[in-house]
Amino acid sequence: MSIYNFTQKELENYLIENGFKKYNAIQIIEWLYEKKEKDFNKMTNLSKKLISFCIEKIDINTPKIIKVEKSPLANKYLLELKDNNKIECVLMNHDYGYSLCVSSQVGCNMGCSFCESGRLKKVRDLALDELVGQVIAVSNYENIRIDSIVVMGIGEPFDNFENIKRFISVVTNNKMINIGQRHLTISTCGLVPKIYEFADLETGVNLAISLHAPNNDIRDKIMKINHAYKIEEIMKALDYYIDKTNRRVTIEYVMLAGINDSDECARELSRLVGNKLMYVNLIPYNETSNFDMKRSNDFKIKSFYDILKSNNINVTIRKEMGGNLSAACGQLRAREEGSEIC
Ligand code: SF4
């Protein structure tokens, strides 16, 4: 079992159950997360008995980085898990620091029609150590401190909700990864019941919604999840989240030529968002050879942006970090595992 598969509380309980003291958990956590020690033998304030126990029962491994694609603003990493499954994460170098986009599942069952990860289907959820392991692996590989995390890579985080809750606990624990709640964002395609549950956690962690359409007709065509939860239900759940947390929600909107980028779509989206505590992030689509969909041209994106702005909507256009990277979520993994695609 990996040491990264424990929250602080879980490690305390595990050690107590095995005859050790609660404070031993903090000792181990400090060695791991603060001093970045990878060898139990070098954890000099642990008893010999505890060191032997840890060596026998626990490992300190993280997913292995097997490929890196670099561009000036972002690096993409392909990581191999213990069972040889592969996932991706992306490191972005913003003015305000390093931000890591992590995966939550191997593949994804949500089947969004523009997404490589959905095309490969879900194989399994990521365990806590595989979520935490992405942060540790990239931070050690680059020898940097990661300043913010978005769970927006391969997979639907709310379809792996229990482990995401534990991940939030490890990321925001000041003895562990130590990233403030406001620097952690979870993104969902709209699993409505989980939005309510997430709101009830009252964590201060940010929420982003992959909306990608201003009405159900368009969303039905590009996002299967809309057959289960309509836009009205999502907006109601977001109202609940905002009421409960007073946190601003990010609306992610990928710009697909001829599908969701008309002026009318921009006006509809403006009406939907209105004066709610939300901001819209327009994302130029990264084309992939496996889908017919095309990126909206710059003129269309700008005109969409202008209409939102003229309606007093907070809106940004996401910088295209990918460039020559296999930039869309899941592309690098899809290429590596091409032979396994059914
Ligand atoms: S866009 Fe996100 S939710 Fe949709 S298929 Fe891809 S990974 Fe899954």
Coordinates of all heavy atoms in Angstrom, one line a residue, residues 131-189:
L131 N -4.0 10.1 -7.2 CA -4.3 11.6 -7.3 C -3.2 12.4 -6.7 O -2.6 13.3 -7.3 CB -5.7 11.9 -6.5 CG -6.9 11.2 -7.1 CD1 -8.1 11.2 -6.1 CD2 -7.4 12.0 -8.4
V132 N -2.9 12.1 -5.4 CA -1.8 12.8 -4.7 C -0.5 12.6 -5.5 O 0.4 13.5 -5.6 CB -1.7 12.3 -3.3 CG1 -0.5 12.9 -2.6 CG2 -2.9 12.6 -2.5
G133 N -0.3 11.4 -6.0 CA 1.0 11.0 -6.6 C 1.3 11.8 -7.9 O 2.4 12.1 -8.2
Q134 N 0.2 12.3 -8.5 CA 0.5 13.2 -9.7 C 1.1 14.5 -9.3 O 2.1 15.0 -9.9 CB -0.8 13.5 -10.4 CG -1.5 12.3 -11.1 CD -2.9 12.7 -11.6 OE1 -3.1 13.4 -12.5 NE2 -3.9 12.1 -11.0
V135 N 0.7 15.0 -8.1 CA 1.2 16.3 -7.6 C 2.7 16.1 -7.2 O 3.5 16.9 -7.5 CB 0.3 16.8 -6.4 CG1 0.8 18.2 -5.9 CG2 -1.1 16.9 -6.8
I136 N 2.9 15.0 -6.4 CA 4.2 14.7 -5.9 C 5.2 14.4 -7.1 O 6.3 15.0 -7.1 CB 4.2 13.5 -4.9 CG1 3.2 13.7 -3.8 CG2 5.6 13.2 -4.4 CD1 3.5 14.7 -2.8
A137 N 4.8 13.6 -8.0 CA 5.7 13.2 -9.1 C 6.1 14.4 -9.9 O 7.3 14.6 -10.2 CB 5.0 12.2 -10.0
V138 N 5.1 15.3 -10.3 CA 5.5 16.5 -11.1 C 6.3 17.5 -10.3 O 7.3 18.0 -10.8 CB 4.2 17.1 -11.7 CG1 4.6 18.4 -12.4 CG2 3.6 16.1 -12.7
S139 N 5.9 17.7 -9.1 CA 6.6 18.7 -8.3 C 8.1 18.2 -8.0 O 9.0 19.0 -8.1 CB 5.8 18.9 -7.0 OG 6.6 19.0 -5.9
N140 N 8.3 16.9 -7.8 CA 9.7 16.4 -7.7 C 10.5 16.4 -9.0 O 11.6 16.8 -9.0 CB 9.7 14.9 -7.1 CG 9.3 14.9 -5.7 OD1 9.2 15.9 -5.0 ND2 8.9 13.7 -5.2
Y141 N 9.8 16.0 -10.0 CA 10.4 16.0 -11.4 C 11.0 17.4 -11.8 O 12.1 17.5 -12.3 CB 9.4 15.5 -12.4 CG 10.0 15.3 -13.8 CD1 10.5 14.1 -14.2 CD2 9.9 16.3 -14.7 CE1 11.0 13.9 -15.5 CE2 10.4 16.2 -16.0 CZ 11.0 15.0 -16.4 OH 11.4 14.9 -17.7
E142 N 10.1 18.4 -11.5 CA 10.5 19.8 -11.9 C 11.2 20.5 -10.8 O 11.7 21.7 -11.0 CB 9.3 20.6 -12.4 CG 8.5 19.9 -13.5 CD 9.3 20.1 -14.9 OE1 10.3 20.7 -14.9 OE2 8.8 19.5 -15.8
N143 N 11.2 19.9 -9.6 CA 11.8 20.6 -8.4 C 11.2 22.0 -8.2 O 11.9 23.0 -8.1 CB 13.3 20.7 -8.6 CG 14.0 21.0 -7.3 OD1 13.4 20.7 -6.2 ND2 15.2 21.5 -7.3
I144 N 9.8 22.0 -8.2 CA 9.1 23.2 -8.0 C 8.0 23.0 -6.9 O 7.7 21.8 -6.6 CB 8.4 23.7 -9.2 CG1 7.5 22.5 -9.8 CG2 9.3 24.2 -10.3 CD1 6.5 22.9 -10.8
R145 N 7.5 24.1 -6.4 CA 6.3 24.0 -5.6 C 5.1 24.3 -6.4 O 5.1 25.3 -7.2 CB 6.4 25.0 -4.4 CG 5.1 24.9 -3.6 CD 5.1 25.8 -2.4 NE 3.7 26.2 -2.1 CZ 2.8 25.3 -1.4 NH1 3.2 24.2 -1.1 NH2 1.6 25.7 -1.2
I146 N 4.1 23.5 -6.4 CA 2.9 23.7 -7.2 C 2.0 24.6 -6.3 O 1.8 24.4 -5.2 CB 2.2 22.4 -7.5 CG1 3.1 21.8 -8.6 CG2 0.8 22.6 -8.1 CD1 2.8 20.3 -8.9
D147 N 1.5 25.7 -7.0 CA 0.7 26.7 -6.3 C -0.8 26.5 -6.3 O -1.5 27.0 -5.4 CB 1.1 28.1 -6.8 CG 2.6 28.4 -6.8 OD1 3.1 28.6 -5.7 OD2 3.2 28.4 -7.8
S148 N -1.3 25.9 -7.4 CA -2.7 25.7 -7.5 C -3.0 24.4 -8.2 O -2.1 23.9 -9.0 CB -3.4 26.8 -8.1 OG -3.0 27.0 -9.4
I149 N -4.1 23.8 -8.0 CA -4.5 22.5 -8.6 C -5.9 22.6 -9.2 O -6.8 23.2 -8.5 CB -4.4 21.4 -7.6 CG1 -3.0 21.1 -7.1 CG2 -5.0 20.1 -8.2 CD1 -2.8 20.1 -6.0
V150 N -6.1 22.1 -10.4 CA -7.4 22.0 -11.0 C -7.6 20.5 -11.3 O -6.7 19.9 -11.9 CB -7.6 22.9 -12.2 CG1 -7.7 24.3 -11.9 CG2 -6.6 22.6 -13.3
V151 N -8.7 20.0 -10.9 CA -9.1 18.6 -11.2 C -9.9 18.6 -12.4 O -11.2 18.7 -12.4 CB -9.8 17.8 -10.0 CG1 -9.9 16.4 -10.3 CG2 -9.0 18.0 -8.7
M152 N -9.2 18.6 -13.6 CA -9.9 18.9 -14.8 C -9.3 18.1 -16.0 O -9.5 18.4 -17.1 CB -9.7 20.4 -15.1 CG -10.8 21.1 -15.9 SD -10.5 22.8 -16.1 CE -11.2 23.6 -14.7
G153 N -8.5 17.1 -15.6 CA -7.9 16.3 -16.6 C -8.8 15.1 -17.0 O -10.0 15.3 -17.1
I154 N -8.2 13.9 -17.2 CA -9.0 12.8 -17.7 C -10.0 12.4 -16.6 O -9.5 12.2 -15.4 CB -8.1 11.6 -18.1 CG1 -7.2 12.0 -19.2 CG2 -8.9 10.4 -18.4 CD1 -6.1 11.0 -19.5
G155 N -11.2 12.2 -16.9 CA -12.2 11.7 -15.9 C -13.2 12.7 -15.4 O -13.0 13.9 -15.6
E156 N -14.2 12.2 -14.8 CA -15.2 13.1 -14.1 C -15.0 13.0 -12.6 O -15.3 11.9 -12.0 CB -16.6 12.6 -14.6 CG -17.8 13.1 -13.7 CD -17.8 14.6 -13.5 OE1 -17.8 15.4 -14.5 OE2 -17.9 15.1 -12.3
P157 N -14.5 14.0 -12.0 CA -14.1 13.9 -10.6 C -15.3 13.5 -9.7 O -15.1 12.7 -8.7 CB -13.7 15.3 -10.2 CG -13.4 16.0 -11.5 CD -14.1 15.3 -12.6
F158 N -16.5 14.0 -10.0 CA -17.7 13.7 -9.1 C -18.1 12.2 -9.3 O -19.0 11.7 -8.6 CB -18.8 14.6 -9.4 CG -18.6 16.0 -8.7 CD1 -19.5 17.0 -8.9 CD2 -17.5 16.2 -7.9 CE1 -19.4 18.3 -8.3 CE2 -17.3 17.4 -7.3 CZ -18.3 18.5 -7.5
D159 N -17.6 11.5 -10.3 CA -17.8 10.1 -10.5 C -16.8 9.3 -9.6 O -16.8 8.1 -9.6 CB -17.7 9.7 -12.0 CG -18.2 8.3 -12.3 OD1 -19.1 7.8 -11.6 OD2 -17.6 7.7 -13.2
N160 N -15.9 10.0 -9.0 CA -14.9 9.4 -8.1 C -14.9 10.2 -6.8 O -13.9 10.7 -6.3 CB -13.6 9.4 -8.7 CG -12.5 8.7 -8.0 OD1 -12.8 7.9 -7.0 ND2 -11.2 8.8 -8.3
F161 N -16.2 10.5 -6.3 CA -16.4 11.5 -5.3 C -15.7 11.2 -3.9 O -15.1 12.1 -3.3 CB -17.9 11.7 -5.1 CG -18.3 13.0 -4.4 CD1 -18.0 14.2 -4.9 CD2 -19.0 12.9 -3.2 CE1 -18.3 15.4 -4.3 CE2 -19.3 14.1 -2.5 CZ -19.0 15.3 -3.1
E162 N -15.7 10.0 -3.5 CA -15.1 9.7 -2.2 C -13.7 10.0 -2.2 O -13.1 10.6 -1.2 CB -15.4 8.2 -1.8 CG -16.9 7.9 -1.4 CD -17.4 8.9 -0.4 OE1 -16.8 9.1 0.6 OE2 -18.5 9.5 -0.7
N163 N -13.0 9.6 -3.2 CA -11.5 9.8 -3.3 C -11.2 11.3 -3.5 O -10.2 11.8 -3.0 CB -10.9 9.0 -4.4 CG -10.7 7.5 -3.9 OD1 -10.6 7.3 -2.7 ND2 -10.8 6.6 -4.9
I164 N -12.1 12.0 -4.2 CA -11.9 13.4 -4.4 C -12.0 14.2 -3.0 O -11.2 15.1 -2.7 CB -12.9 14.0 -5.4 CG1 -12.5 13.5 -6.8 CG2 -12.9 15.5 -5.4 CD1 -11.2 14.0 -7.4
K165 N -13.0 13.7 -2.2 CA -13.1 14.3 -0.9 C -11.8 14.1 -0.1 O -11.3 15.0 0.6 CB -14.3 13.7 -0.1 CG -15.6 14.3 -0.6 CD -16.7 13.9 0.4 CE -17.2 12.6 0.2 NZ -18.4 12.2 1.0
R166 N -11.2 12.9 -0.2 CA -10.0 12.6 0.6 C -8.8 13.4 0.0 O -8.0 13.9 0.7 CB -9.7 11.1 0.5 CG -10.8 10.3 1.2 CD -10.7 8.8 0.9 NE -9.5 8.2 1.4 CZ -8.7 7.3 0.8 NH1 -9.0 6.9 -0.4 NH2 -7.7 6.7 1.4
F167 N -8.8 13.6 -1.4 CA -7.8 14.4 -2.0 C -7.9 15.8 -1.5 O -6.8 16.4 -1.2 CB -8.0 14.3 -3.5 CG -7.0 15.0 -4.4 CD1 -5.7 14.7 -4.3 CD2 -7.4 16.1 -5.2 CE1 -4.8 15.4 -5.1 CE2 -6.5 16.7 -6.0 CZ -5.2 16.4 -6.0
I168 N -9.1 16.4 -1.4 CA -9.2 17.7 -0.9 C -8.6 17.8 0.5 O -7.9 18.8 0.8 CB -10.7 18.1 -0.9 CG1 -11.3 18.3 -2.3 CG2 -10.9 19.4 -0.1 CD1 -12.8 18.5 -2.4
S169 N -8.8 16.8 1.3 CA -8.3 16.8 2.7 C -6.7 16.8 2.6 O -6.1 17.6 3.4 CB -8.9 15.6 3.4 OG -8.0 15.2 4.5
V170 N -6.1 16.0 1.8 CA -4.7 16.0 1.7 C -4.1 17.3 1.1 O -3.1 17.8 1.6 CB -4.2 14.7 0.9 CG1 -2.7 14.8 0.6 CG2 -4.6 13.4 1.6
V171 N -4.7 17.8 0.0 CA -4.2 19.0 -0.6 C -4.2 20.2 0.3 O -3.3 21.0 0.4 CB -5.0 19.2 -1.9 CG1 -4.7 20.6 -2.5 CG2 -4.7 18.2 -3.0
T172 N -5.3 20.3 1.1 CA -5.5 21.5 1.8 C -4.9 21.4 3.3 O -4.9 22.4 4.0 CB -7.0 21.9 1.9 OG1 -7.7 20.8 2.5 CG2 -7.6 22.2 0.6
N173 N -4.4 20.2 3.6 CA -3.8 20.0 5.0 C -2.5 20.7 5.0 O -1.6 20.4 4.2 CB -3.7 18.5 5.2 CG -3.1 18.2 6.6 OD1 -2.3 18.9 7.1 ND2 -3.5 17.1 7.1
N174 N -2.3 21.6 6.0 CA -1.0 22.4 5.9 C 0.2 21.6 6.3 O 1.3 22.1 6.2 CB -1.1 23.7 6.8 CG -1.4 23.4 8.2 OD1 -1.4 22.3 8.6 ND2 -1.8 24.5 9.0
K175 N 0.0 20.4 6.8 CA 1.2 19.5 7.0 C 1.4 18.6 5.8 O 2.4 17.9 5.8 CB 0.9 18.6 8.2 CG 0.7 19.3 9.5 CD 2.0 19.2 10.3 CE 1.9 19.9 11.7 NZ 2.5 21.2 11.7
M176 N 0.5 18.6 4.9 CA 0.6 17.7 3.7 C 0.9 18.5 2.5 O 1.9 19.2 2.4 CB -0.6 16.8 3.6 CG -0.7 15.9 4.9 SD -2.1 14.9 5.0 CE -1.5 13.3 4.5
I177 N 0.1 18.5 1.5 CA 0.4 19.3 0.3 C 0.3 20.8 0.5 O 1.1 21.6 -0.1 CB -0.4 18.9 -0.9 CG1 -0.1 17.4 -1.3 CG2 -0.2 19.8 -2.2 CD1 -0.8 16.8 -2.5
N178 N -0.6 21.2 1.4 CA -0.6 22.6 1.9 C -0.9 23.6 0.8 O -0.2 24.6 0.6 CB 0.7 22.9 2.6 CG 0.7 24.3 3.3 OD1 -0.4 24.8 3.6 ND2 1.8 24.9 3.5
I179 N -2.0 23.4 0.0 CA -2.5 24.4 -0.9 C -3.8 24.8 -0.4 O -4.7 24.0 -0.1 CB -2.6 23.7 -2.3 CG1 -1.2 23.5 -2.9 CG2 -3.4 24.6 -3.3 CD1 -1.1 22.9 -4.3
G180 N -4.0 26.1 -0.3 CA -5.2 26.7 0.2 C -6.5 26.3 -0.6 O -6.4 26.1 -1.8
Q181 N -7.6 26.2 0.1 CA -8.8 25.8 -0.6 C -9.1 26.6 -1.8 O -9.6 26.1 -2.8 CB -10.0 25.9 0.4 CG -9.9 25.0 1.6 CD -11.0 25.2 2.6 OE1 -11.6 26.2 2.7 NE2 -11.2 24.2 3.4
R182 N -8.8 27.9 -1.7 CA -9.2 28.8 -2.8 C -8.3 28.6 -4.0 O -8.5 29.1 -5.1 CB -9.1 30.2 -2.4 CG -10.3 30.6 -1.6 CD -10.1 31.9 -0.8 NE -11.4 32.4 -0.3 CZ -12.3 31.8 0.5 NH1 -12.0 30.5 0.8 NH2 -13.4 32.3 1.0
H183 N -7.2 27.8 -3.9 CA -6.3 27.5 -5.0 C -6.5 26.1 -5.5 O -5.7 25.5 -6.2 CB -4.9 27.7 -4.5 CG -4.6 29.1 -4.1 ND1 -4.4 30.1 -5.0 CD2 -4.5 29.6 -2.9 CE1 -4.2 31.2 -4.4 NE2 -4.3 31.0 -3.1
L184 N -7.7 25.5 -5.1 CA -8.0 24.1 -5.6 C -9.4 24.2 -6.3 O -10.3 24.8 -5.7 CB -8.1 23.1 -4.4 CG -8.6 21.7 -4.7 CD1 -7.7 21.0 -5.7 CD2 -8.6 20.9 -3.4
T185 N -9.5 23.7 -7.5 CA -10.7 23.8 -8.3 C -11.1 22.4 -8.7 O -10.3 21.6 -9.3 CB -10.6 24.7 -9.5 OG1 -10.2 26.0 -9.1 CG2 -11.9 24.8 -10.3
I186 N -12.4 22.0 -8.5 CA -12.9 20.7 -9.0 C -13.8 21.1 -10.2 O -14.7 21.9 -10.0 CB -13.7 20.0 -7.9 CG1 -12.9 19.9 -6.6 CG2 -14.0 18.6 -8.4 CD1 -11.7 19.1 -6.5
S187 N -13.7 20.4 -11.3 CA -14.5 20.6 -12.4 C -15.4 19.4 -12.7 O -15.0 18.3 -12.7 CB -13.6 20.9 -13.6 OG -14.4 20.9 -14.8
T188 N -16.7 19.7 -13.0 CA -17.6 18.6 -13.3 C -18.4 18.9 -14.6 O -18.6 20.1 -14.9 CB -18.6 18.4 -12.1 OG1 -19.6 17.4 -12.5 CG2 -19.4 19.7 -11.8
C189 N -18.8 17.8 -15.2 CA -19.7 18.1 -16.4 C -21.1 18.2 -16.0 O -22.0 18.5 -16.9 CB -19.5 16.9 -17.4 SG -20.1 15.3 -16.8

